[in-house]
PDB file of all heavy atoms in Angstrom:
ATOM      1  N   LEU A  43       0.082 -17.825  12.434  1.00 94.00           N
ATOM      2  CA  LEU A  43      -0.040 -17.539  13.871  1.00 94.00           C
ATOM      3  C   LEU A  43      -1.500 -17.260  14.202  1.00 94.00           C
ATOM      4  O   LEU A  43      -2.097 -16.341  13.659  1.00 94.00           O
ATOM      5  CB  LEU A  43       0.787 -16.304  14.228  1.00 94.00           C
ATOM      6  CG  LEU A  43       2.227 -16.533  14.638  1.00 94.00           C
ATOM      7  CD1 LEU A  43       3.064 -15.302  14.385  1.00 94.00           C
ATOM      8  CD2 LEU A  43       2.290 -16.901  16.116  1.00 94.00           C
ATOM      9  N   LEU A  90       3.166 -20.552  21.221  1.00 98.00           N
ATOM     10  CA  LEU A  90       3.831 -19.361  21.722  1.00 98.00           C
ATOM     11  C   LEU A  90       3.016 -18.712  22.826  1.00 98.00           C
ATOM     12  O   LEU A  90       1.785 -18.633  22.752  1.00 98.00           O
ATOM     13  CB  LEU A  90       4.032 -18.356  20.577  1.00 98.00           C
ATOM     14  CG  LEU A  90       5.031 -18.798  19.505  1.00 98.00           C
ATOM     15  CD1 LEU A  90       4.730 -18.121  18.179  1.00 98.00           C
ATOM     16  CD2 LEU A  90       6.445 -18.476  19.947  1.00 98.00           C
ATOM     17  N   PHE A 107       6.918 -11.962  23.509  1.00 96.00           N
ATOM     18  CA  PHE A 107       6.774 -13.389  23.257  1.00 96.00           C
ATOM     19  C   PHE A 107       7.920 -14.202  23.836  1.00 96.00           C
ATOM     20  O   PHE A 107       9.072 -13.752  23.884  1.00 96.00           O
ATOM     21  CB  PHE A 107       6.700 -13.666  21.750  1.00 96.00           C
ATOM     22  CG  PHE A 107       5.376 -13.320  21.138  1.00 96.00           C
ATOM     23  CD1 PHE A 107       5.062 -12.012  20.813  1.00 96.00           C
ATOM     24  CD2 PHE A 107       4.436 -14.311  20.887  1.00 96.00           C
ATOM     25  CE1 PHE A 107       3.827 -11.690  20.251  1.00 96.00           C
ATOM     26  CE2 PHE A 107       3.209 -14.011  20.324  1.00 96.00           C
ATOM     27  CZ  PHE A 107       2.903 -12.689  20.009  1.00 96.00           C
TER      28      PHE A 107
ATOM     29  N   TYR B  36       5.619  -6.345  14.122  1.00 96.00           N
ATOM     30  CA  TYR B  36       6.400  -7.375  14.791  1.00 96.00           C
ATOM     31  C   TYR B  36       7.244  -8.071  13.738  1.00 96.00           C
ATOM     32  O   TYR B  36       6.934  -8.031  12.556  1.00 96.00           O
ATOM     33  CB  TYR B  36       5.486  -8.431  15.446  1.00 96.00           C
ATOM     34  CG  TYR B  36       4.936  -8.047  16.794  1.00 96.00           C
ATOM     35  CD1 TYR B  36       3.878  -7.151  16.903  1.00 96.00           C
ATOM     36  CD2 TYR B  36       5.474  -8.587  17.966  1.00 96.00           C
ATOM     37  CE1 TYR B  36       3.367  -6.805  18.154  1.00 96.00           C
ATOM     38  CE2 TYR B  36       4.973  -8.241  19.211  1.00 96.00           C
ATOM     39  CZ  TYR B  36       3.921  -7.350  19.291  1.00 96.00           C
ATOM     40  OH  TYR B  36       3.420  -7.010  20.526  1.00 96.00           O
ATOM     41  N   ARG B  37       8.305  -8.730  14.171  1.00 97.00           N
ATOM     42  CA  ARG B  37       9.055  -9.577  13.258  1.00 97.00           C
ATOM     43  C   ARG B  37       9.355 -10.906  13.933  1.00 97.00           C
ATOM     44  O   ARG B  37       9.386 -10.997  15.152  1.00 97.00           O
ATOM     45  CB  ARG B  37      10.347  -8.916  12.805  1.00 97.00           C
ATOM     46  CG  ARG B  37      11.452  -8.848  13.849  1.00 97.00           C
ATOM     47  CD  ARG B  37      12.677  -8.172  13.267  1.00 97.00           C
ATOM     48  NE  ARG B  37      13.783  -8.110  14.226  1.00 97.00           N
ATOM     49  CZ  ARG B  37      14.942  -7.510  13.967  1.00 97.00           C
ATOM     50  NH1 ARG B  37      15.147  -6.925  12.784  1.00 97.00           N
ATOM     51  NH2 ARG B  37      15.895  -7.508  14.872  1.00 97.00           N
ATOM     52  N   GLN B  38       9.569 -11.921  13.109  1.00 97.00           N
ATOM     53  CA  GLN B  38       9.854 -13.246  13.626  1.00 97.00           C
ATOM     54  C   GLN B  38      11.048 -13.809  12.858  1.00 97.00           C
ATOM     55  O   GLN B  38      10.960 -14.074  11.652  1.00 97.00           O
ATOM     56  CB  GLN B  38       8.650 -14.174  13.483  1.00 97.00           C
ATOM     57  CG  GLN B  38       8.844 -15.525  14.160  1.00 97.00           C
ATOM     58  CD  GLN B  38       7.595 -16.375  14.145  1.00 97.00           C
ATOM     59  OE1 GLN B  38       6.749 -16.239  13.271  1.00 97.00           O
ATOM     60  NE2 GLN B  38       7.475 -17.265  15.118  1.00 97.00           N
ATOM     61  N   GLN B  42      11.930 -18.500  16.159  1.00 90.00           N
ATOM     62  CA  GLN B  42      11.878 -17.778  17.430  1.00 90.00           C
ATOM     63  C   GLN B  42      10.499 -17.168  17.615  1.00 90.00           C
ATOM     64  O   GLN B  42       9.690 -17.130  16.685  1.00 90.00           O
ATOM     65  CB  GLN B  42      12.942 -16.678  17.459  1.00 90.00           C
ATOM     66  CG  GLN B  42      14.368 -17.181  17.359  1.00 90.00           C
ATOM     67  CD  GLN B  42      15.364 -16.041  17.433  1.00 90.00           C
ATOM     68  OE1 GLN B  42      15.064 -14.951  17.922  1.00 90.00           O
ATOM     69  NE2 GLN B  42      16.574 -16.289  16.947  1.00 90.00           N
ATOM     70  N   GLY B  43      10.214 -16.672  18.816  1.00 94.00           N
ATOM     71  CA  GLY B  43       8.958 -15.965  19.041  1.00 94.00           C
ATOM     72  C   GLY B  43       8.985 -14.599  18.385  1.00 94.00           C
ATOM     73  O   GLY B  43      10.039 -14.001  18.198  1.00 94.00           O
ATOM     74  N   PRO B  44       7.817 -14.076  17.994  1.00 95.00           N
ATOM     75  CA  PRO B  44       7.772 -12.736  17.395  1.00 95.00           C
ATOM     76  C   PRO B  44       8.355 -11.689  18.333  1.00 95.00           C
ATOM     77  O   PRO B  44       8.244 -11.791  19.557  1.00 95.00           O
ATOM     78  CB  PRO B  44       6.283 -12.503  17.160  1.00 95.00           C
ATOM     79  CG  PRO B  44       5.705 -13.874  17.033  1.00 95.00           C
ATOM     80  CD  PRO B  44       6.506 -14.711  17.985  1.00 95.00           C
ATOM     81  N   GLN B  45       8.949 -10.671  17.715  1.00 95.00           N
ATOM     82  CA  GLN B  45       9.582  -9.587  18.469  1.00 95.00           C
ATOM     83  C   GLN B  45       8.896  -8.281  18.120  1.00 95.00           C
ATOM     84  O   GLN B  45       8.746  -7.951  16.933  1.00 95.00           O
ATOM     85  CB  GLN B  45      11.073  -9.516  18.103  1.00 95.00           C
ATOM     86  CG  GLN B  45      11.831  -8.385  18.767  1.00 95.00           C
ATOM     87  CD  GLN B  45      13.238  -8.218  18.203  1.00 95.00           C
ATOM     88  OE1 GLN B  45      13.530  -8.644  17.087  1.00 95.00           O
ATOM     89  NE2 GLN B  45      14.113  -7.604  18.970  1.00 95.00           N
ATOM     90  N   TYR B  46       8.473  -7.537  19.123  1.00 93.00           N
ATOM     91  CA  TYR B  46       7.857  -6.233  18.904  1.00 93.00           C
ATOM     92  C   TYR B  46       8.874  -5.266  18.311  1.00 93.00           C
ATOM     93  O   TYR B  46      10.034  -5.237  18.731  1.00 93.00           O
ATOM     94  CB  TYR B  46       7.332  -5.688  20.235  1.00 93.00           C
ATOM     95  CG  TYR B  46       6.986  -4.220  20.209  1.00 93.00           C
ATOM     96  CD1 TYR B  46       5.771  -3.769  19.687  1.00 93.00           C
ATOM     97  CD2 TYR B  46       7.880  -3.276  20.694  1.00 93.00           C
ATOM     98  CE1 TYR B  46       5.456  -2.427  19.663  1.00 93.00           C
ATOM     99  CE2 TYR B  46       7.570  -1.930  20.671  1.00 93.00           C
ATOM    100  CZ  TYR B  46       6.365  -1.502  20.161  1.00 93.00           C
ATOM    101  OH  TYR B  46       6.066  -0.168  20.125  1.00 93.00           O
ATOM    102  N   PHE B 102      -2.406 -11.963  13.283  1.00 91.00           N
ATOM    103  CA  PHE B 102      -1.290 -12.001  12.345  1.00 91.00           C
ATOM    104  C   PHE B 102      -1.771 -12.416  10.961  1.00 91.00           C
ATOM    105  O   PHE B 102      -2.581 -13.330  10.825  1.00 91.00           O
ATOM    106  CB  PHE B 102      -0.232 -13.013  12.811  1.00 91.00           C
ATOM    107  CG  PHE B 102       0.532 -12.606  14.038  1.00 91.00           C
ATOM    108  CD1 PHE B 102       0.029 -12.851  15.304  1.00 91.00           C
ATOM    109  CD2 PHE B 102       1.763 -11.983  13.918  1.00 91.00           C
ATOM    110  CE1 PHE B 102       0.738 -12.482  16.441  1.00 91.00           C
ATOM    111  CE2 PHE B 102       2.480 -11.609  15.046  1.00 91.00           C
ATOM    112  CZ  PHE B 102       1.973 -11.854  16.308  1.00 91.00           C
TER     113      PHE B 102
END
Side-chain angles (χ1 to χ4, degrees):
Chain A
L43 270 156
L90 292 155
F107 284 80
Chain B
Y36 278 77
R37 73 180 181 183
Q38 187 174 27
Q42 298 182 21
Q45 177 189 22
Y46 166 81
F102 290 85

